[in-house]
């Protein structure tokens, strides 16, 4: 198996490392930044360096993975498709939006992709062979896609440790607009509203809700500026619906208890059973925040074989006490509750 | 010092416990629910039970703290003020919104209050003597407030472990609308948009951003229905500004990089220097999520005397690897980075 990776950063580097876990895989790397690709070679992330995109044709790759920034994606995919034209190579990408690149690329050579993995951190230094283990990896074939090429790509994504899921490119972009892009826009707006309301005063210690709600505010401006642009149509629809929802709420602020309860049901339905790995349940624990309490909780559950899939620590304003939220498998929840209660910590 | 607490739940019970840490303080409790107040007496949270609000006058309290739900607040404050009319008692409350109750109560007897502490959990069983330690506790005196009464209330709040901060009631409500009430509304909207976009499919494993963004969605419908209603005017202004901001963004989705960068700056300014306890810095650590890694990180920093003031754990979809966000004092950040790097874990 021969793989060409165009763009050797966190994502491209992790594709290379994940692919090379298997015997007989060779990875050729190219990057717009010669220093980045030399760093990847020196670190053993890739086997060889391509001097330019046209040179990947001579490497005779089975799969070409384009992992460049969204703004350069369409042009790089076009160059990659041209470089391997007439060969059996299948070209794919890892961009966060799909409709634009799929519409621009030749469908017989290219199938779009989007692994739901990554991190705020960037750069090949953070690349990891296990980045995609267990991750959903969307693939966006069209009715005209080559069956042979798609099958090879499906096997390749599986070999990286991920779970390929076929989805229409437009449906993918609508879904991401709702569960990822809209939340990023709203986080920014919340930060701006708070800054305006504070007028230069310091933020009062309102607990963790504001921090959680705005955790992604201002995330990587270069990346997100490109995501908003690439998915403008689907985000526009989400914004229209959000504006309509806010106008509705605006008109009945004295009558929102049922609306709040409905949101509670929806969140439970989405989060408690929605993740891979089966139903999850959240335990909230009131803790004295003395050094070691959180570690002790984690160790206690760890020793009992109970995995903490998500954790939040909500310190009191003096940071001496607080509330810890722990998400565990529903099947483990009662056992976790007993272990924690045995430490005289109240659980709800 | 004699304190009457009306409404003995999480907040009222914690006021009682915090006050009784000091010698010579006696606490009289009343609750609409006779079982709750008997439970509080049996648990040693209060010293005595008042059979009704009028009976608190005979107790000759120095301070009366009204800690009932918002929907009952104005009526209960009025009854408390009537019960202690003609005495030296000062009456206050712990409600999340202030303009309504302040406007309705007699200003010579009543000064509004709002401690920034609490938890999603409710009920006297979760009451803690240290709930208010270090917390900002807003007080909303007016120009007509009794100086003697305000000074006593200030000392009382300080004795509970909190830091009293005087603020105009309307300014308080505007501030809370921006940093707390609006984020709750938007969390609900995000959950509804996601549910609609998914159309019954399970939520893809998009990482923790959606979970963080919607953590408060549907929080306690009874409480929040009352908060939205009580602060409808200020929340309405925030919603109008949010709608305008979203319409602006809607019009320039292809040109948002600078807007994203501005949000990044604003968030840093708000969060990294805004909390009590001095400047904070976030470290992001890529970790294999084997049992014990998070605990090991927490223990390592704890042993070095470095306090983790906020923590987020972003698992990869298979829950085997992930990224941990740790907020520590800026002065400790470099030392923390060295300790973590020494474990071969990449930090940014």
């Amino acid at each position: 198996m021969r793989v060409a990776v165009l763009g050797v950063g966190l994502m491209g580097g992790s594709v290379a490392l994940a692919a090379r876990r298997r015997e007989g895989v060779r990875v050729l790397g190219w990057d717009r930044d010669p220093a980045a690709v030399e760093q990847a070679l020196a670190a053993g992330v890739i086997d060889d360096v391509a001097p330019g995109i046209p040179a990947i044709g001579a490497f005779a790759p089975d799969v070409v993975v384009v992992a460049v920034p969204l703004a350069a994606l369409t042009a790089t995919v076009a160059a990659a498709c041209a470089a391997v034209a007439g060969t059996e190579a299948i070209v794919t990408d890892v961009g966060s939006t799909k409709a634009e690149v799929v519409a621009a690329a030749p469908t017989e050579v290219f199938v779009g992709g989007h692994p739901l993995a990554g991190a705020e951190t960037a750069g090949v230094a953070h690349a990891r062979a296990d980045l995609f283990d267990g991750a959903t990896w969307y693939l966006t074939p069209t009715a005209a896609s080559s069956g042979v090429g798609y099958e090879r790509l499906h096997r390749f994504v599986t070999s990286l440790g991920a779970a390929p899921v076929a989805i229409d490119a437009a449906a993918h972009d609508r879904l991401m607009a709702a569960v990822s892009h809209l939340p990023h826009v709203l986080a920014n707006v919340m930060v701006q509203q708070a800054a305006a309301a504070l007028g230069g005063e310091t933020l009062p210690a309102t607990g963790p809700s504001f921090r959680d709600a705005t955790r992604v505010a201002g995330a990587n401006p270069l990346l997100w500026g490109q995501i908003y642009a690439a998915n403008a149509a689907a985000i526009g629809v989400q914004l229209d619906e959000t504006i309509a929802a806010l106008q509705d709420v605006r008109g009945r602020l004295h009558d929102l208890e049922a609306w709040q309860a409905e949101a509670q049901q929806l969140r439970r339905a989405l989060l408690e059973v929605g993740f891979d790995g089966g139903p999850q349940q959240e335990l909230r624990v009131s803790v004295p925040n003395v050094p070691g309490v959180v570690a002790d909780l984690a160790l206690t559950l760890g020793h009992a074989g109970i995995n903490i899939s998500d954790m939040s620590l909500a310190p009191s304003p003096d940071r001496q006490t607080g509330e810890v939220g722990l998400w565990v498998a529903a099947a483990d929840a009662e056992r976790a509750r007993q272990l924690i209660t045995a430490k005289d910590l109240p659980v709800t």
Side-chain angles (χ1 to χ4, degrees), chain A residues 6 28 30 50-61 79-80 82-85:
Chain A
L6 308 187
L28 177 73
W30 170 86
I53 296 178
I56 65 174
F59 179 69
V84 298

Short mmCIF file of all heavy atoms in Angstrom, two decimals, chain A residues 6 28 30 50-61 79-80 82-85:
data_model
loop_
_atom_site.label_atom_id
_atom_site.label_comp_id
_atom_site.label_asym_id
_atom_site.label_seq_id
_atom_site.Cartn_x
_atom_site.Cartn_y
_atom_site.Cartn_z
N LEU A 6 -0.73 15.03 1.32
CA LEU A 6 -0.43 16.41 0.92
C LEU A 6 -0.86 17.33 2.07
O LEU A 6 -2.05 17.45 2.36
CB LEU A 6 -1.18 16.76 -0.37
CG LEU A 6 -1.00 15.78 -1.54
CD1 LEU A 6 -1.66 16.34 -2.80
CD2 LEU A 6 0.48 15.50 -1.79
N LEU A 28 4.43 8.87 1.25
CA LEU A 28 5.13 9.99 0.63
C LEU A 28 4.47 11.27 1.13
O LEU A 28 3.24 11.38 1.13
CB LEU A 28 4.98 9.89 -0.89
CG LEU A 28 5.59 11.01 -1.74
CD1 LEU A 28 7.11 10.90 -1.76
CD2 LEU A 28 5.03 10.95 -3.17
N TRP A 30 4.10 15.63 1.17
CA TRP A 30 4.38 16.93 0.56
C TRP A 30 3.74 18.00 1.44
O TRP A 30 2.70 17.76 2.06
CB TRP A 30 3.78 17.02 -0.85
CG TRP A 30 3.85 18.43 -1.40
CD1 TRP A 30 4.90 18.99 -2.07
CD2 TRP A 30 2.86 19.44 -1.31
NE1 TRP A 30 4.62 20.30 -2.39
CE2 TRP A 30 3.37 20.60 -1.93
CE3 TRP A 30 1.58 19.51 -0.73
CZ2 TRP A 30 2.65 21.80 -2.02
CZ3 TRP A 30 0.86 20.70 -0.80
CH2 TRP A 30 1.41 21.83 -1.45
N ALA A 50 7.99 14.38 -1.33
CA ALA A 50 7.75 14.71 -2.73
C ALA A 50 8.14 16.18 -2.94
O ALA A 50 7.76 17.04 -2.16
CB ALA A 50 6.27 14.53 -3.07
N PRO A 51 8.92 16.45 -4.00
CA PRO A 51 9.36 17.83 -4.23
C PRO A 51 8.21 18.74 -4.68
O PRO A 51 8.28 19.95 -4.54
CB PRO A 51 10.41 17.68 -5.33
CG PRO A 51 10.08 16.40 -6.02
CD PRO A 51 9.46 15.51 -4.99
N GLY A 52 7.16 18.16 -5.22
CA GLY A 52 6.01 18.95 -5.65
C GLY A 52 4.84 18.02 -5.87
O GLY A 52 4.99 16.79 -5.88
N ILE A 53 3.64 18.60 -6.03
CA ILE A 53 2.46 17.75 -6.19
C ILE A 53 2.52 16.89 -7.47
O ILE A 53 2.17 15.71 -7.42
CB ILE A 53 1.16 18.59 -6.13
CG1 ILE A 53 1.04 19.22 -4.73
CG2 ILE A 53 -0.07 17.73 -6.43
CD1 ILE A 53 -0.17 20.12 -4.55
N PRO A 54 2.98 17.44 -8.60
CA PRO A 54 3.04 16.59 -9.81
C PRO A 54 3.88 15.34 -9.61
O PRO A 54 3.62 14.30 -10.23
CB PRO A 54 3.67 17.52 -10.86
CG PRO A 54 3.30 18.90 -10.41
CD PRO A 54 3.35 18.85 -8.90
N ALA A 55 4.87 15.41 -8.70
CA ALA A 55 5.78 14.27 -8.49
C ALA A 55 5.09 13.07 -7.84
O ALA A 55 5.64 11.96 -7.86
CB ALA A 55 6.97 14.71 -7.64
N ILE A 56 3.90 13.25 -7.28
CA ILE A 56 3.28 12.11 -6.60
C ILE A 56 2.81 11.06 -7.61
O ILE A 56 2.64 9.90 -7.26
CB ILE A 56 2.09 12.51 -5.68
CG1 ILE A 56 0.93 13.09 -6.48
CG2 ILE A 56 2.57 13.47 -4.61
CD1 ILE A 56 -0.31 13.36 -5.64
N GLY A 57 2.61 11.46 -8.87
CA GLY A 57 2.19 10.49 -9.89
C GLY A 57 3.20 9.36 -10.03
O GLY A 57 2.83 8.18 -10.09
N ALA A 58 4.48 9.71 -10.05
CA ALA A 58 5.54 8.72 -10.22
C ALA A 58 5.63 7.75 -9.04
O ALA A 58 6.14 6.64 -9.16
CB ALA A 58 6.89 9.43 -10.41
N PHE A 59 5.11 8.16 -7.88
CA PHE A 59 5.10 7.32 -6.67
C PHE A 59 4.05 6.22 -6.80
O PHE A 59 4.08 5.21 -6.08
CB PHE A 59 4.83 8.23 -5.47
CG PHE A 59 4.77 7.54 -4.14
CD1 PHE A 59 5.91 6.99 -3.55
CD2 PHE A 59 3.57 7.45 -3.42
CE1 PHE A 59 5.84 6.37 -2.32
CE2 PHE A 59 3.50 6.84 -2.19
CZ PHE A 59 4.64 6.31 -1.63
N ALA A 60 3.11 6.40 -7.73
CA ALA A 60 2.02 5.45 -7.98
C ALA A 60 1.25 5.12 -6.70
O ALA A 60 1.16 3.96 -6.28
CB ALA A 60 2.56 4.16 -8.61
N PRO A 61 0.68 6.14 -6.08
CA PRO A 61 -0.03 5.91 -4.81
C PRO A 61 -1.35 5.17 -5.02
O PRO A 61 -2.00 5.32 -6.07
CB PRO A 61 -0.29 7.32 -4.29
CG PRO A 61 -0.37 8.17 -5.52
CD PRO A 61 0.60 7.56 -6.50
N ALA A 79 -4.99 19.74 -8.21
CA ALA A 79 -3.61 19.41 -8.59
C ALA A 79 -3.31 17.94 -8.34
O ALA A 79 -2.64 17.27 -9.14
CB ALA A 79 -2.63 20.29 -7.81
N ALA A 80 -3.82 17.40 -7.23
CA ALA A 80 -3.59 15.99 -6.91
C ALA A 80 -4.29 15.09 -7.93
O ALA A 80 -3.72 14.10 -8.41
CB ALA A 80 -4.09 15.69 -5.49
N ALA A 82 -5.03 15.81 -10.97
CA ALA A 82 -4.30 15.90 -12.23
C ALA A 82 -3.03 15.05 -12.18
O ALA A 82 -2.68 14.38 -13.16
CB ALA A 82 -3.95 17.37 -12.51
N ALA A 83 -2.36 15.04 -11.04
CA ALA A 83 -1.09 14.33 -10.92
C ALA A 83 -1.26 12.81 -11.05
O ALA A 83 -0.35 12.13 -11.50
CB ALA A 83 -0.41 14.66 -9.59
N VAL A 84 -2.44 12.30 -10.65
CA VAL A 84 -2.66 10.84 -10.68
C VAL A 84 -3.65 10.44 -11.76
O VAL A 84 -4.12 9.29 -11.78
CB VAL A 84 -3.12 10.31 -9.30
CG1 VAL A 84 -2.05 10.57 -8.25
CG2 VAL A 84 -4.46 10.91 -8.90
N ALA A 85 -3.99 11.37 -12.65
CA ALA A 85 -4.97 11.07 -13.70
C ALA A 85 -4.51 9.85 -14.50
O ALA A 85 -3.33 9.71 -14.82
CB ALA A 85 -5.14 12.28 -14.61
#
